[in-house]
């Protein structure tokens, strides 16, 4: 990650080069930086979608995070578990298939949005039905505080972004 400042890189990794990410998303001690999709596995799209919900809720200050030391303990415990489960052959703390659904459960648990216990158990033991998660985004959106109206183009507010293309609209005074 040479594109990040050295101090940020130092905070992201432990002494063995494992990423120190709470819920495989939030770097410890690096505000404003998130990793979505780092939890690579067979279930990457589902993990990434649920992580996106978690990130949106955190940005809206709607996730009750534990304190820094509790988050650090959780990350260290997760890495120790992965070391034991894989005989230290995980890739910098990423999950492996058998444990991927646990991360989805944790993330949704933080949001108080988890699917029913019976369906969760069936996903741990058999095929995952992505349709079981279809209501997560609408449920979370109803819980988040309303956002401020989008500034008009040319206003002095933040630069609006075209939500379809992701391209910033260039204010008229900068054209």
């Amino acid at each position: 990650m040479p594109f990040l400042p050295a101090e940020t890189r130092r905070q992201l990794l432990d002494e063995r080069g494992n990423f120190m990410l709470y819920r495989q998303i939030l770097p410890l001690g690096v505000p404003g930086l998130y990793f979505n999709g780092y939890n690579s596995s067979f279930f990457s799209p589902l993990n990434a979608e649920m992580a996106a919900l978690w990130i949106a809720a955190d940005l809206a200050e709607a996730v009750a995070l534990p304190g820094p030391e509790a988050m650090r303990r959780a990350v260290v415990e997760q890495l120790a578990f992965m070391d034991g489960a894989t005989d230290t052959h995980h890739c910098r703390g990423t999950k492996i298939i058998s444990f991927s659904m646990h991360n989805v459960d944790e993330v949704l648990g933080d949001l108080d949005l988890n699917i029913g216990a019976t369906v969760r158990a069936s996903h741990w033991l058999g095929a995952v039905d992505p349709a079981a998660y279809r209501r997560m985004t609408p449920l979370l959106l109803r819980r988040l505080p309303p956002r401020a109206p989008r500034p008009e183009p040319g206003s002095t507010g933040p630069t609006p972004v075209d939500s379809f293309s992701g391209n910033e609209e260039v204010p008229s005074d900068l054209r």
Side-chain angles (χ1 to χ4, degrees), residues 30-102:
V30 186
L33 181 63
Y34 297 89
F35 283 66
N36 189 7
Y38 179 72
N39 182 15
S40 96
S41 78
F42 181 70
F43 303 112
S44 289
L46 180 60
N47 273 297
E49 186 174 348
M50 297 306 109
L53 295 177
W54 193 96
I55 292 167
D58 190 55
L59 288 170
E61 299 179 352
V63 177
L65 294 174
E69 283 309 309
M71 284 195 287
R72 180 167 299 284
R73 270 191 313 278
V75 172
V76 169
E77 288 170 6
Q78 177 64 38
L79 289 170
F81 171 78
M82 292 303 297
D83 283 345
T86 66
D87 195 26
T88 69
H89 290 98
H90 55 85
C91 183
R92 295 189 180 214
T94 58
K95 303 276 186 169
I96 54 176
I97 292 172
S98 333
F99 308 110
S100 297
M101 293 311 297
H102 179 66

Side-chain angles (χ1 to χ4, degrees), residues 136-172:
M136 298 301 130
T137 299
L139 285 170
L140 178 65
L141 289 174
R142 282 198 292 268
R143 292 181 183 178
L144 295 181
R147 65 181 196 183
R150 181 183 233 174
E152 291 296 319
S155 74
T156 58
T159 303
V161 174
D162 177 338
S163 62
F164 180 74
S165 69
N167 296 324
E168 291 186 357
E169 298 171 3
V170 179
S172 59

